[in-house]
Structure formats: structure tokens, C-alpha cells
Amino acid sequence: MKLSARTRYGIAALTYMHINDQELTTLVNIAKHLNISKIYLEQVFSSLKQANLVDAVKGPAGGYYLKSNNCNMLNILLALEPSLFEKTPPSTDDDVINRVLCTHLYTPLDQSIRERLEAIRLKDIAEIIKSESGDAIMYYI
């Protein structure tokens, strides 16, 4: 599966936010630390906000914050790459072939992918990164 840059950047930004346990983080800060375009992150965070994964506080002391510590990869991918979850169209004009493929391949595959992505929580990824990096990652704000 090839994820778009938009999705990869979104996952990286959300992971960064979770690792740093800050209540508010600016996109400038995230962009600087992850070397991602701030303008691009604005578009990504617009989708994340619409999906209710993050929220923003306006003003000079504002920024973005995670709305839940229980966010999982399915939530993120549904917000940033919804086309991955579109139903597979019929393969042929043969109704029997289409029905069998849907019943025994496409639907179970979709369910399996959804279940696996739902089981991967953002906080678990952040904890793995913290444990593998030890004290190596130190961000000063």
C-alpha cells in the first residue's frame, strides 16, 4: 500500500504532537521539527480538524491539540486518504464472478485492513518511538 505524502505527513505530525505531550502546538513548530512545509501542514490539519481528530485555539498563544489520546490509524487514514476505503467496483459484466469476488475477496480484505488499522493506536506508536529513542530525542520550545 502506498500512502500519499499528505497522509505520511499527517501521521508524522500527529505522532510528533503525541510524543511531545504538549497541550498546544503550532504548525510552525511541527513544520520546523519535521522539515515539512507549513502551508502543506495547514491543508493536512484542515482535514484532521474536520474529522474531529484535532482542534485549534486561535490567538497568539494558540495552536493545535489532539482531541483524544485514543486516536488510531484507521481514524487518521479515513480523514486523510478516504479513497483507500472506497468500495471496489465490479470487475466484469459477469454477476456471479463479481458476487464471489466481493464476498470472498474484497469484503474480507477491507474488513481485515480496517481491523488492523483500528488496532494501531497513535499513542502506541508514540510510546515505541520514545522507548527506542531513549533520551536521544530532545525538543526545546
Side-chain angles (χ1 to χ4, degrees), residues 10-28:
I11 292 170
L14 292 173
T15 303
Y16 171 83
M17 291 172 71
H18 207 292
I19 288 170
N20 290 290
D21 297 326
Q22 299 166 347
E23 288 188 27
L24 291 174
T25 306
T26 65
L27 293 184
V28 171

PDB file of all heavy atoms in Angstrom, residues 10-28:
ATOM      1  N   GLY A  10       0.742  13.812   7.799  1.00  0.00           N
ATOM      2  CA  GLY A  10      -0.270  13.901   8.847  1.00  0.00           C
ATOM      3  C   GLY A  10       0.018  12.945   9.990  1.00  0.00           C
ATOM      4  O   GLY A  10      -0.059  13.328  11.164  1.00  0.00           O
ATOM      5  N   ILE A  11       0.377  11.719   9.665  1.00  0.00           N
ATOM      6  CA  ILE A  11       0.713  10.734  10.693  1.00  0.00           C
ATOM      7  C   ILE A  11       1.949  11.188  11.467  1.00  0.00           C
ATOM      8  O   ILE A  11       1.989  11.113  12.698  1.00  0.00           O
ATOM      9  CB  ILE A  11       0.912   9.333  10.082  1.00  0.00           C
ATOM     10  CG1 ILE A  11      -0.418   8.793   9.547  1.00  0.00           C
ATOM     11  CG2 ILE A  11       1.521   8.369  11.104  1.00  0.00           C
ATOM     12  CD1 ILE A  11      -0.287   7.529   8.714  1.00  0.00           C
ATOM     13  N   ALA A  12       2.963  11.679  10.756  1.00  0.00           N
ATOM     14  CA  ALA A  12       4.180  12.145  11.422  1.00  0.00           C
ATOM     15  C   ALA A  12       3.879  13.320  12.348  1.00  0.00           C
ATOM     16  O   ALA A  12       4.374  13.371  13.484  1.00  0.00           O
ATOM     17  CB  ALA A  12       5.229  12.534  10.382  1.00  0.00           C
ATOM     18  N   ALA A  13       3.062  14.256  11.898  1.00  0.00           N
ATOM     19  CA  ALA A  13       2.730  15.430  12.710  1.00  0.00           C
ATOM     20  C   ALA A  13       1.940  15.034  13.950  1.00  0.00           C
ATOM     21  O   ALA A  13       2.218  15.524  15.055  1.00  0.00           O
ATOM     22  CB  ALA A  13       1.944  16.439  11.874  1.00  0.00           C
ATOM     23  N   LEU A  14       0.966  14.164  13.801  1.00  0.00           N
ATOM     24  CA  LEU A  14       0.184  13.724  14.951  1.00  0.00           C
ATOM     25  C   LEU A  14       1.050  12.935  15.934  1.00  0.00           C
ATOM     26  O   LEU A  14       0.910  13.070  17.156  1.00  0.00           O
ATOM     27  CB  LEU A  14      -1.005  12.874  14.497  1.00  0.00           C
ATOM     28  CG  LEU A  14      -2.090  13.627  13.728  1.00  0.00           C
ATOM     29  CD1 LEU A  14      -3.127  12.651  13.187  1.00  0.00           C
ATOM     30  CD2 LEU A  14      -2.743  14.690  14.589  1.00  0.00           C
ATOM     31  N   THR A  15       1.957  12.136  15.410  1.00  0.00           N
ATOM     32  CA  THR A  15       2.868  11.387  16.263  1.00  0.00           C
ATOM     33  C   THR A  15       3.768  12.341  17.026  1.00  0.00           C
ATOM     34  O   THR A  15       3.981  12.192  18.232  1.00  0.00           O
ATOM     35  CB  THR A  15       3.702  10.389  15.431  1.00  0.00           C
ATOM     36  OG1 THR A  15       2.818   9.524  14.722  1.00  0.00           O
ATOM     37  CG2 THR A  15       4.624   9.561  16.309  1.00  0.00           C
ATOM     38  N   TYR A  16       4.288  13.344  16.344  1.00  0.00           N
ATOM     39  CA  TYR A  16       5.120  14.366  16.982  1.00  0.00           C
ATOM     40  C   TYR A  16       4.353  15.043  18.119  1.00  0.00           C
ATOM     41  O   TYR A  16       4.889  15.233  19.220  1.00  0.00           O
ATOM     42  CB  TYR A  16       5.569  15.398  15.948  1.00  0.00           C
ATOM     43  CG  TYR A  16       6.248  16.602  16.546  1.00  0.00           C
ATOM     44  CD1 TYR A  16       7.601  16.564  16.878  1.00  0.00           C
ATOM     45  CD2 TYR A  16       5.537  17.764  16.795  1.00  0.00           C
ATOM     46  CE1 TYR A  16       8.224  17.661  17.435  1.00  0.00           C
ATOM     47  CE2 TYR A  16       6.152  18.865  17.354  1.00  0.00           C
ATOM     48  CZ  TYR A  16       7.490  18.813  17.671  1.00  0.00           C
ATOM     49  OH  TYR A  16       8.107  19.901  18.239  1.00  0.00           O
ATOM     50  N   MET A  17       3.108  15.390  17.859  1.00  0.00           N
ATOM     51  CA  MET A  17       2.293  16.031  18.890  1.00  0.00           C
ATOM     52  C   MET A  17       2.127  15.103  20.091  1.00  0.00           C
ATOM     53  O   MET A  17       2.219  15.542  21.236  1.00  0.00           O
ATOM     54  CB  MET A  17       0.923  16.418  18.324  1.00  0.00           C
ATOM     55  CG  MET A  17       0.970  17.542  17.319  1.00  0.00           C
ATOM     56  SD  MET A  17      -0.626  17.815  16.523  1.00  0.00           S
ATOM     57  CE  MET A  17      -1.566  18.529  17.881  1.00  0.00           C
ATOM     58  N   HIS A  18       1.896  13.846  19.839  1.00  0.00           N
ATOM     59  CA  HIS A  18       1.679  12.895  20.924  1.00  0.00           C
ATOM     60  C   HIS A  18       2.969  12.657  21.718  1.00  0.00           C
ATOM     61  O   HIS A  18       2.947  12.588  22.944  1.00  0.00           O
ATOM     62  CB  HIS A  18       1.148  11.573  20.376  1.00  0.00           C
ATOM     63  CG  HIS A  18       0.325  10.834  21.362  1.00  0.00           C
ATOM     64  ND1 HIS A  18       0.853  10.282  22.498  1.00  0.00           N
ATOM     65  CD2 HIS A  18      -0.999  10.562  21.397  1.00  0.00           C
ATOM     66  CE1 HIS A  18      -0.107   9.702  23.188  1.00  0.00           C
ATOM     67  NE2 HIS A  18      -1.245   9.860  22.536  1.00  0.00           N
ATOM     68  N   ILE A  19       4.092  12.553  21.031  1.00  0.00           N
ATOM     69  CA  ILE A  19       5.378  12.332  21.698  1.00  0.00           C
ATOM     70  C   ILE A  19       5.705  13.480  22.644  1.00  0.00           C
ATOM     71  O   ILE A  19       6.208  13.273  23.741  1.00  0.00           O
ATOM     72  CB  ILE A  19       6.514  12.163  20.660  1.00  0.00           C
ATOM     73  CG1 ILE A  19       6.387  10.825  19.950  1.00  0.00           C
ATOM     74  CG2 ILE A  19       7.884  12.298  21.319  1.00  0.00           C
ATOM     75  CD1 ILE A  19       7.307  10.685  18.761  1.00  0.00           C
ATOM     76  N   ASN A  20       5.406  14.692  22.221  1.00  0.00           N
ATOM     77  CA  ASN A  20       5.789  15.871  22.987  1.00  0.00           C
ATOM     78  C   ASN A  20       4.786  16.265  24.061  1.00  0.00           C
ATOM     79  O   ASN A  20       5.032  17.199  24.810  1.00  0.00           O
ATOM     80  CB  ASN A  20       6.077  17.031  22.044  1.00  0.00           C
ATOM     81  CG  ASN A  20       7.345  16.761  21.270  1.00  0.00           C
ATOM     82  OD1 ASN A  20       8.425  16.781  21.834  1.00  0.00           O
ATOM     83  ND2 ASN A  20       7.209  16.443  20.003  1.00  0.00           N
ATOM     84  N   ASP A  21       3.679  15.572  24.136  1.00  0.00           N
ATOM     85  CA  ASP A  21       2.713  15.763  25.221  1.00  0.00           C
ATOM     86  C   ASP A  21       2.387  17.222  25.520  1.00  0.00           C
ATOM     87  O   ASP A  21       2.169  17.589  26.665  1.00  0.00           O
ATOM     88  CB  ASP A  21       3.218  15.107  26.524  1.00  0.00           C
ATOM     89  CG  ASP A  21       3.355  13.604  26.389  1.00  0.00           C
ATOM     90  OD1 ASP A  21       2.539  13.002  25.671  1.00  0.00           O
ATOM     91  OD2 ASP A  21       4.285  13.045  26.990  1.00  0.00           O
ATOM     92  N   GLN A  22       2.369  18.042  24.510  1.00  0.00           N
ATOM     93  CA  GLN A  22       2.041  19.450  24.722  1.00  0.00           C
ATOM     94  C   GLN A  22       0.554  19.646  24.524  1.00  0.00           C
ATOM     95  O   GLN A  22      -0.058  19.009  23.673  1.00  0.00           O
ATOM     96  CB  GLN A  22       2.805  20.331  23.735  1.00  0.00           C
ATOM     97  CG  GLN A  22       4.302  20.214  23.877  1.00  0.00           C
ATOM     98  CD  GLN A  22       5.017  20.827  22.696  1.00  0.00           C
ATOM     99  OE1 GLN A  22       4.402  21.126  21.681  1.00  0.00           O
ATOM    100  NE2 GLN A  22       6.309  21.005  22.830  1.00  0.00           N
ATOM    101  N   GLU A  23       0.013  20.556  25.286  1.00  0.00           N
ATOM    102  CA  GLU A  23      -1.401  20.838  25.104  1.00  0.00           C
ATOM    103  C   GLU A  23      -1.636  21.529  23.775  1.00  0.00           C
ATOM    104  O   GLU A  23      -2.572  21.207  23.062  1.00  0.00           O
ATOM    105  CB  GLU A  23      -1.926  21.683  26.259  1.00  0.00           C
ATOM    106  CG  GLU A  23      -2.029  20.896  27.540  1.00  0.00           C
ATOM    107  CD  GLU A  23      -2.717  21.683  28.615  1.00  0.00           C
ATOM    108  OE1 GLU A  23      -3.533  22.572  28.287  1.00  0.00           O
ATOM    109  OE2 GLU A  23      -2.445  21.416  29.788  1.00  0.00           O
ATOM    110  N   LEU A  24      -0.782  22.494  23.454  1.00  0.00           N
ATOM    111  CA  LEU A  24      -0.912  23.221  22.190  1.00  0.00           C
ATOM    112  C   LEU A  24       0.409  23.197  21.441  1.00  0.00           C
ATOM    113  O   LEU A  24       1.466  23.365  22.039  1.00  0.00           O
ATOM    114  CB  LEU A  24      -1.298  24.682  22.443  1.00  0.00           C
ATOM    115  CG  LEU A  24      -2.697  24.934  22.974  1.00  0.00           C
ATOM    116  CD1 LEU A  24      -2.865  26.413  23.296  1.00  0.00           C
ATOM    117  CD2 LEU A  24      -3.750  24.498  21.978  1.00  0.00           C
ATOM    118  N   THR A  25       0.322  22.996  20.152  1.00  0.00           N
ATOM    119  CA  THR A  25       1.495  23.004  19.290  1.00  0.00           C
ATOM    120  C   THR A  25       1.152  23.786  18.032  1.00  0.00           C
ATOM    121  O   THR A  25       0.098  23.573  17.440  1.00  0.00           O
ATOM    122  CB  THR A  25       1.894  21.566  18.886  1.00  0.00           C
ATOM    123  OG1 THR A  25       2.041  20.782  20.058  1.00  0.00           O
ATOM    124  CG2 THR A  25       3.178  21.542  18.105  1.00  0.00           C
ATOM    125  N   THR A  26       2.039  24.656  17.622  1.00  0.00           N
ATOM    126  CA  THR A  26       1.788  25.416  16.395  1.00  0.00           C
ATOM    127  C   THR A  26       2.260  24.615  15.185  1.00  0.00           C
ATOM    128  O   THR A  26       3.152  23.764  15.290  1.00  0.00           O
ATOM    129  CB  THR A  26       2.526  26.764  16.418  1.00  0.00           C
ATOM    130  OG1 THR A  26       3.942  26.515  16.414  1.00  0.00           O
ATOM    131  CG2 THR A  26       2.134  27.605  17.628  1.00  0.00           C
ATOM    132  N   LEU A  27       1.672  24.915  14.054  1.00  0.00           N
ATOM    133  CA  LEU A  27       2.100  24.262  12.820  1.00  0.00           C
ATOM    134  C   LEU A  27       3.509  24.682  12.448  1.00  0.00           C
ATOM    135  O   LEU A  27       4.254  23.899  11.855  1.00  0.00           O
ATOM    136  CB  LEU A  27       1.123  24.577  11.687  1.00  0.00           C
ATOM    137  CG  LEU A  27      -0.277  23.984  11.834  1.00  0.00           C
ATOM    138  CD1 LEU A  27      -1.111  24.282  10.596  1.00  0.00           C
ATOM    139  CD2 LEU A  27      -0.230  22.492  12.088  1.00  0.00           C
ATOM    140  N   VAL A  28       3.887  25.899  12.830  1.00  0.00           N
ATOM    141  CA  VAL A  28       5.253  26.362  12.573  1.00  0.00           C
ATOM    142  C   VAL A  28       6.244  25.463  13.319  1.00  0.00           C
ATOM    143  O   VAL A  28       7.260  25.041  12.759  1.00  0.00           O
ATOM    144  CB  VAL A  28       5.426  27.843  12.997  1.00  0.00           C
ATOM    145  CG1 VAL A  28       6.882  28.268  12.952  1.00  0.00           C
ATOM    146  CG2 VAL A  28       4.575  28.746  12.122  1.00  0.00           C
TER     147      VAL A  28
END
